[in-house]
Amino acid sequence: MEVIGKDDLKTPLLLPSDGVAATVSQPSHDGDMKIETITFKVSGIKHASCATSIESKIGNLNGAANVMVSPLQGQAIVRYMPELLTANTIKKAVEDIGFQVNEFPEQDIAVCRLRIKGMACTSCSESAEHALSMVDGVKKAVVGLALEEAKVHYDPNVTNTDRIIEAVEDSGFGADLISSGSDVNKVHLKLEGIGSIEDLTVIQFSLESLEGVNHVEMGFEEHIVSISYDPDLTGPRSLIQTIQEAGREPNYYQASLFIASGRRETERQHEIQLYRNQFLWSCLFSVPVFIFSMVLPMLPPYGNWLDYKINNMLTVGMLLRWILCTPVQFVIGQRFYVGSYHALRRKSANMDVLVALGTNAAYFYSVYVVIKALTSESFEGQDFFETSSMLISFILLGKYLEVVAKGKTSDALAKLTDLAPDTAYLLTLDGDGNVISEMEISTQLIQRNDALKVVPGAKVPVDGIVIDGQSHVNESMITGEARPIAKRPGDKVIGGTMNENGCLLIKATHVGSETALSQIVQLVEAAQLARAPVQKLADQISKFFVPTVVVAAFITWLGWFIPGEAGIYPKRWIPKAMDGFELALQFGISVLVVACPCALGLATPTAVMVATGKGASQGVLIKGGNAIEKAYKVKIVVFDKTGTLTIGKPAVVSAVLFSNISMEEFCDMAVAAEANSEHPVAKAVVEHAKKLCQKLGSKTEHFTDVKDFVVHPGAGVSGKVGDREVLVGNKRLMRDCNVPVGHEVEDYISENEQLARTCVLVAIDGRVAGAFSVTDPVKPEAARVIAYLHSMDISSIMVTGDNWATATAIAKEVGIQKVFAEMDPLGKANKIKDLQMKGTTVAMVGDGINDSPALVAADVGMAIGAGTDIAIEAADIVLIKSNLEDVVTAIDLSRKTIFRIRLNYVWALGYNVLGMPIAAGILFPFTGIRLPPWLAGACMAASSISVVCSSLLLQSYKKPLHADGA
């Protein structure tokens, strides 16, 4: 929703949804007085006069700068001066006049994102989430396993990011701050020419005295300064200039952008290298152990030397295996001990606990065998050193391959991030708009209202408006639309898109985190972090999974050891050079290792990561796993008409008079009444009426102002123009206001409605004076989309505020069978609720503010990307390029993703369901087949790799309709 008087160019294209009811105040400046904005819900608003009384009450408060109350949304937006007025006073004022205030924001809610290191499975992410939620002041914390990130909402008055990071580290995980709420407009500068602390103090004072600077943080050791600023008032170049001007002879200061180069990618590469190196070092010791224990003894006489006795029954082979295995167990395998310690300390169990138990059982039993052989002259026993070392090697190999594969799950998002160019051409213009100078600068130094040149073949650096030149811009990388879009002065351009054939001069309107590209990336990252409902299965299983496995392993060991000692099964079952205890121990260790829950935890988040990234690259923004799971179940899609099924740019095709009023006066009245309406039809009427006035030779440039202006949702508008009462709207508005509609008017309406045209009637002083006939062409792909949805067993319904005849004609043209017309916004929402009462999952596709109640009411709200910000915020899925084909894409991609998640669960649980009985020795009595612990470790690693690779197959997804068209 827009605030009155706010320039629409400053409104972000996409508003990220954090899933928190409270709206964080965004400080701005009004002269020398600080302005803050607060948004809250008000219940009990029944009509427009209620909203007016609330606006009047708050507006009379000292310190209230601007008030807007939407009766439709039941929402109030208040801009106020915190030095003169408090948020609680605003709340009390609303309650004093009999309205209830809901979802009132807490005084401060800050958001930070952390990188969490050391998570292996779902129980790890749950533990980290629990540790964060226990911190005083933390309101909400979400930890994503596949993304290895946490998003924390907290009260900065109670806690800070340092305490939050400390809490994560206390629970046994590593944590790094990625960003905090204050990073939205923040720049880091590297200082040069610093000779002493006094120099830094001078620079800090100069920056803090600059208008628009909110906070300055000095790094005294590295000479790096971090500055939070208001982009409306200053920017990076102004800050650098201020630093340079602060210097005086002999100390001249210089500042340049400090960019931490690809930190996330660097960390990922470091992690890959770490696992690879650990695996190679492990192989260096494990392979000889495996050869000495498994290969050479089977190749006499080459392996005979291993049986040479050093002392009593201790052989050369035993000693070599012990020496080679020990570094693997305690140095290379140290990470499993550390992970187990932290897991057990927080009263949970994870993969590290299982691996540590299994390898320690094998290693220490083998040490017992060595000591017994050293001290006994007759003892014969088999050591398991190869089990311990090979097991650790295979697990490290599995983790290495898993980390490599997981890095590819965010490829689509990385490609989006890399779309923005590194440099741009900054122009200096004189008062007449002539170019004085041109220089190449980093895109991070661009400030709002900068004039920039975009040459053919170059990328548009930031969002802006064309001020000179003509060209075609390829926006496919952002919107998925392959056809280049013509751009002329006044048209908007999106950062990251490709300028094709002409030179453009643009004015920057959105910079930094405000650009469409940045917001798409933020929205996708938030979606990847959100936990899908289907993941609850993995979360529930993981809580009791590890303890169950430990118990199962112990029972397996007892189940083989006791019958062996009692002679229940024949001695020939026991392999040569083993006894019953050793055989039972191997079965127990195999069960411990094969049943690792890692793959289970990766099944859902990796698929959601790939799907949301792939969707974003194709113009479909899916806000998380919850939206995917709901879209998969959709059986009915409800379409709005104007701007959704139709192009949304209505045009007047004719205007007629039904009274003796002049056409010029008729148009003047219509323009005055409709000028304040945001409805597309109203805009078309105003545009046509103004053109008619010009044709008729009218010299009037300023049209009469309207008083007592009232919007009648779904019907039209009314007001007083001069001393005359004017109504502009449909037949329902005339009926509600007791304006008679004669036969001549009825005939005109029915004649146009059969042609799928909308009639806008204009009544002056209680009598229909004339009408405009408005048409809105149907989108060319609409009929194809409806037909394809039908083939997917999905029904289509139209709900619109337009009249029945026009709605029916449009529905017939596109192939929709069921229509609900003349619906106001709340009526649309109620109709969706009626459909849901029948137990059906309903999706709503809309584009305007009037669609937002229905978008919220639907199970899945799909907002057309060219629509309003409030509709985009209310939706679960945003169709960036405003193409109806993406309705099919969103549902089809959701179905493919849910299928992939279920297949992942089959892979994850299949290894356990099949592997555990085999590891426990169920086949051994009949076939002699058993699963040695090292092979069980390989199976466990393979399950995680197979799940990640299965998710990666979603990267090859192709749009169904696009593919058919091709």
Side-chain angles (χ1 to χ4, degrees):
M1 184 174 292
E2 295 181 4
V3 180
I4 291 173
K6 189 170 182 180
D7 185 356
D8 70 323
L9 298 179
K10 295 180 183 177
T11 306
L13 174 71
L14 296 171
L15 296 176
S17 175
D18 290 328
V20 175
T23 303
V24 183
S25 298
Q26 297 296 329
S28 61
H29 296 263
D30 189 6
D32 294 327
M33 194 71 79
K34 187 179 174 186
I35 298 283
E36 288 190 0
T37 304
I38 191 169
T39 305
F40 54 91
K41 297 281 186 180
V42 183
S43 56
I45 300 178
K46 294 190 169 56
H47 40 77
S49 62
C50 296
T52 307
S53 63
I54 294 170
E55 286 178 354
S56 175
K57 178 71 175 176
I58 299 173
N60 290 331
L61 296 172
N62 183 30
N66 200 309
V67 187
M68 182 176 182
V69 179
S70 166
L72 190 67
Q73 291 297 106
Q75 182 170 319
I77 300 176
V78 183
R79 297 176 75 240
Y80 67 99
M81 301 171 192
E83 291 91 344
L84 303 174
L85 183 63
T86 65
N88 284 330
T89 307
I90 295 170
K91 180 182 179 184
K92 191 172 183 300
V94 176
E95 291 173 341
D96 284 347
I97 54 174
F99 296 97
Q100 186 178 342
V101 176
N102 301 318
E103 295 185 14
F104 195 77
E106 299 184 45
Q107 289 309 299
D108 281 304
I109 291 184
V111 182
C112 69
R113 284 172 57 221
L114 307 174
R115 174 95 60 249
I116 309 289
K117 301 173 186 173
M119 294 192 297
C121 56
T122 310
S123 65
C124 295
S125 60
E126 282 193 337
S127 297
E129 202 168 285
H130 178 71
L132 286 166
S133 61
M134 294 301 288
V135 177
D136 286 341
V138 169
K139 306 296 179 185
K140 180 185 175 186
V142 181
V143 177
L145 174 63
L147 205 59
E148 295 176 338
E149 282 186 17
K151 191 170 189 177
V152 186
H153 298 79
Y154 65 97
D155 184 346
N157 299 317
V158 179
T159 189
N160 55 37
T161 52
D162 290 337
R163 287 186 205 161
I164 290 169
I165 290 171
E166 192 180 327
V168 176
E169 290 173 343
D170 284 346
S171 66
F173 303 105
D176 289 325
L177 184 67
I178 301 172
S179 66
S180 61
S182 59
D183 288 348
V184 175
N185 291 298
K186 192 172 188 177
V187 66
H188 306 277
L189 302 176
K190 177 77 173 174
L191 303 175
E192 294 174 15
I194 306 299
S196 64
I197 297 293
E198 285 75 16
D199 291 336
L200 293 172
T201 307
V202 168
I203 290 172
Q204 184 170 356
F205 178 77
S206 300
L207 289 169
E208 286 175 343
S209 60
L210 183 67
E211 186 185 12
V213 171
N214 299 326
H215 181 66
V216 178
E217 192 177 323
M218 303 296 294
F220 290 98
E221 292 181 5
E222 306 91 351
H223 296 170
I224 294 169
V225 59
S226 301
I227 310 154
S228 300
Y229 63 93
D230 184 341
D232 286 330
L233 301 173
T234 188
R237 290 201 318 282
S238 301
L239 298 171
I240 290 173
Q241 186 179 349
T242 301
I243 292 169
Q244 290 171 345
E245 289 174 354
R248 293 287 183 272
E249 194 175 347
N251 296 328
Y252 288 108
Y253 308 134
Q254 295 293 326
S256 57
L257 277 174
F258 176 76
I259 302 165
S261 57
R263 184 173 175 182
R264 180 168 186 173
E265 187 55 33
T266 304
E267 285 180 355
R268 193 176 294 286
Q269 290 301 324
H270 176 72
E271 189 179 16
I272 290 171
Q273 192 174 357
L274 181 70
Y275 278 117
R276 186 186 63 199
N277 291 345
Q278 285 186 340
F279 169 67
L280 292 175
W281 276 108
S282 181
C283 285
L284 186 65
F285 295 100
S286 300
V287 171
V289 173
F290 181 75
I291 292 171
F292 294 160
S293 62
M294 297 286 189
V295 181
L296 289 179
M298 299 174 68
L299 299 172
Y302 303 108
N304 292 350
W305 63 277
L306 292 169
D307 295 329
Y308 177 78
K309 291 184 176 59
I310 299 171
N311 184 50
N312 288 337
M313 301 301 289
L314 179 65
T315 64
V316 171
M318 267 188 200
L319 185 62
L320 285 174
R321 289 193 289 270
W322 187 19
I323 292 169
L324 290 167
C325 177
T326 301
V328 178
Q329 181 70 37
F330 297 107
V331 179
I332 296 167
Q334 181 187 8
R335 61 185 308 279
F336 300 113
Y337 289 100
V338 174
S340 301
Y341 166 73
H342 287 301
L344 294 172
R345 202 185 71 171
R346 58 181 179 257
K347 297 176 183 175
S348 68
N350 60 8
M351 177 199 82
D352 294 330
V353 174
L354 293 180
V355 173
L357 277 174
T359 56
N360 278 330
Y363 179 83
F364 285 108
Y365 175 73
S366 302
V367 171
Y368 161 77
V369 169
V370 169
I371 295 169
K372 191 82 172 170
L374 180 65
T375 56
S376 171
E377 296 179 359
S378 58
F379 174 79
E380 287 189 7
Q382 174 70 30
D383 63 82
F384 294 157
F385 287 121
E386 83 286 346
T387 295
S388 169
S389 57
M390 291 300 292
L391 189 53
I392 289 172
S393 296
F394 272 112
I395 290 167
L396 290 172
L397 173 63
K399 290 301 288 181
Y400 165 66
L401 295 174
E402 183 188 315
V403 170
V404 170
K406 273 168 67 179
K408 297 184 184 299
T409 59
S410 54
D411 273 359
L413 192 58
K415 286 175 185 172
L416 274 176
T417 309
D418 292 340
L419 284 177
D422 295 325
T423 60
Y425 291 104
L426 175 70
L427 304 179
T428 306
L429 307 178
D430 61 17
D432 299 325
N434 300 315
V435 178
I436 300 171
S437 65
E438 174 184 318
M439 62 183 292
E440 190 173 6
I441 62 167
S442 165
T443 49
Q444 294 198 4
L445 292 175
I446 295 173
Q447 299 179 186
R448 188 172 285 159
N449 297 322
D450 277 348
L452 306 166
K453 184 173 85 170
V454 188
V455 296
K459 289 180 179 178
V460 178
V462 291
D463 295 4
I465 286 185
V466 178
I467 54 176
D468 192 22
Q470 293 186 12
S471 183
H472 285 78
V473 176
N474 186 337
E475 298 182 346
S476 60
M477 59 279 291
I478 302 289
T479 65
E481 180 60 61
R483 191 175 69 252
I485 311 295
K487 299 293 179 183
R488 293 177 176 80
D491 290 343
K492 294 181 181 180
V493 287
I494 305 171
T497 55
M498 182 69 75
N499 181 29
E500 294 208 334
N501 51 6
C503 185
L504 293 175
L505 263 60
I506 68 168
K507 182 173 81 172
T509 56
H510 297 79
V511 295
S513 61
E514 296 174 347
T515 63
L517 184 60
S518 294
Q519 292 189 8
I520 289 169
V521 170
Q522 289 168 30
L523 199 148
V524 176
E525 284 180 339
Q528 292 179 344
L529 201 59
R531 187 167 287 155
V534 72
Q535 198 175 337
K536 288 176 182 174
L537 172 64
D539 294 346
Q540 288 166 355
I541 291 173
S542 69
K543 285 177 184 175
F544 58 84
F545 193 82
V546 173
T548 304
V549 170
V550 173
V551 171
F554 184 70
I555 292 170
T556 300
W557 175 72
L558 284 179
W560 280 98
F561 177 61
I562 294 171
E565 290 297 304
I568 295 174
Y569 62 78
K571 293 289 183 186
R572 58 184 171 80
W573 284 10
I574 301 173
K576 190 179 178 183
M578 261 195 204
D579 59 22
F581 176 82
E582 292 165 350
L583 181 65
L585 186 62
Q586 283 227 351
F587 282 128
I589 293 170
S590 294
V591 170
L592 267 180
V593 175
V594 81
C596 182
C598 291
L600 204 59
L602 292 169
T604 301
T606 52
V608 170
M609 272 184 77
V610 178
T612 49
K614 187 67 179 176
S617 67
Q618 300 202 357
V620 179
L621 289 184
I622 303 174
K623 296 183 182 178
N626 197 20
I628 288 174
E629 194 163 340
K630 286 179 182 175
Y632 151 78
K633 299 174 184 173
V634 165
K635 287 295 174 189
I636 295 176
V637 178
V638 176
F639 291 93
D640 173 46
K641 181 179 78 71
T642 308
T644 303
L645 286 170
T646 61
I647 288 172
K649 290 186 178 177
V652 176
V653 289
S654 69
V656 296
L657 297 174
F658 297 116
S659 66
N660 55 7
I661 190 174
S662 71
M663 180 61 79
E664 191 175 334
E665 187 181 0
F666 169 71
C667 289
D668 192 15
M669 293 289 174
V671 169
E674 290 279 50
N676 293 325
S677 176
E678 288 296 310
H679 198 282
V681 172
K683 289 181 177 178
V685 168
V686 169
E687 190 178 340
H688 184 79
K690 284 182 177 178
K691 285 180 181 175
L692 262 180
C693 285
Q694 288 173 356
K695 275 187 183 177
L696 294 168
S698 171
K699 303 289 184 185
T700 308
E701 290 187 10
H702 178 72
F703 291 86
T704 314
D705 290 332
V706 64
K707 296 174 184 173
D708 303 328
F709 177 76
V710 178
V711 175
H712 303 268
V717 298
S718 64
K720 202 165 186 180
V721 181
D723 58 352
R724 309 182 79 172
E725 293 287 342
V726 179
L727 299 171
V728 183
N730 56 22
K731 191 162 66 173
R732 193 177 90 201
L733 179 66
M734 304 297 138
R735 189 171 61 243
D736 292 347
C737 296
N738 299 317
V739 175
V741 179
H743 290 297
E744 186 185 5
V745 179
E746 288 280 9
D747 291 344
Y748 179 78
I749 292 171
S750 58
E751 180 186 322
N752 279 281
E753 284 176 348
Q754 287 172 2
L755 297 170
R757 294 174 181 172
T758 301
C759 286
V760 179
L761 305 178
V762 180
I764 301 172
D765 292 333
R767 187 178 168 206
V768 178
F772 295 95
S773 173
V774 184
T775 186
D776 186 6
V778 171
K779 286 184 177 176
E781 74 274 9
R784 193 154 41 105
V785 168
I786 303 301
Y788 198 92
L789 287 172
H790 184 70
S791 72
M792 294 171 73
D793 198 26
I794 296 172
S795 306
S796 299
I797 294 174
M798 181 202 290
V799 291
T800 178
D802 212 339
N803 63 74
W804 277 98
T806 304
T808 306
I810 295 287
K812 188 176 179 182
E813 187 176 344
V814 299
I816 291 177
Q817 304 294 323
K818 193 177 285 189
V819 180
F820 298 98
E822 297 181 11
M823 307 280 287
D824 62 19
L826 295 178
K828 291 181 182 181
N830 290 333
K831 183 53 64 180
I832 282 173
K833 287 172 185 171
D834 291 343
L835 294 168
Q836 290 170 328
M837 291 290 283
K838 298 172 185 175
T840 310
T841 304
V842 180
M844 167 71 191
V845 186
D847 71 319
I849 290 175
N850 61 331
D851 295 322
S852 51
L855 289 169
V856 173
D859 296 288
V860 182
M862 297 188 190
I864 297 293
T868 60
D869 291 331
I870 192 70
I872 289 168
E873 190 174 13
D876 300 293
I877 296 171
V878 181
L879 313 177
I880 303 175
K881 63 176 184 173
S882 306
N883 192 322
L884 284 179
E885 289 177 357
D886 287 338
V887 173
V888 174
T889 303
I891 296 172
D892 185 62
L893 179 57
S894 298
R895 289 183 174 185
K896 294 277 197 311
T897 306
I898 294 295
F899 168 77
R900 188 59 57 186
I901 288 170
R902 288 177 174 171
L903 189 62
N904 287 351
Y905 278 130
V906 170
W907 279 111
L909 291 170
Y911 275 94
N912 293 330
V913 171
L914 295 174
M916 278 182 71
I918 296 171
I922 197 168
L923 298 178
F924 186 66
F926 315 107
T927 62
I929 295 173
R930 65 189 177 92
L931 201 63
W934 61 270
L935 194 55
C939 289
M940 182 269 283
S943 68
S944 294
I945 297 162
S946 61
V947 163
V948 177
C949 291
S950 170
S951 294
L952 280 171
L953 290 175
L954 283 169
Q955 288 277 26
S956 60
Y957 174 80
K958 287 185 172 57
K959 296 182 179 185
L961 273 179
H962 185 70
D964 288 356

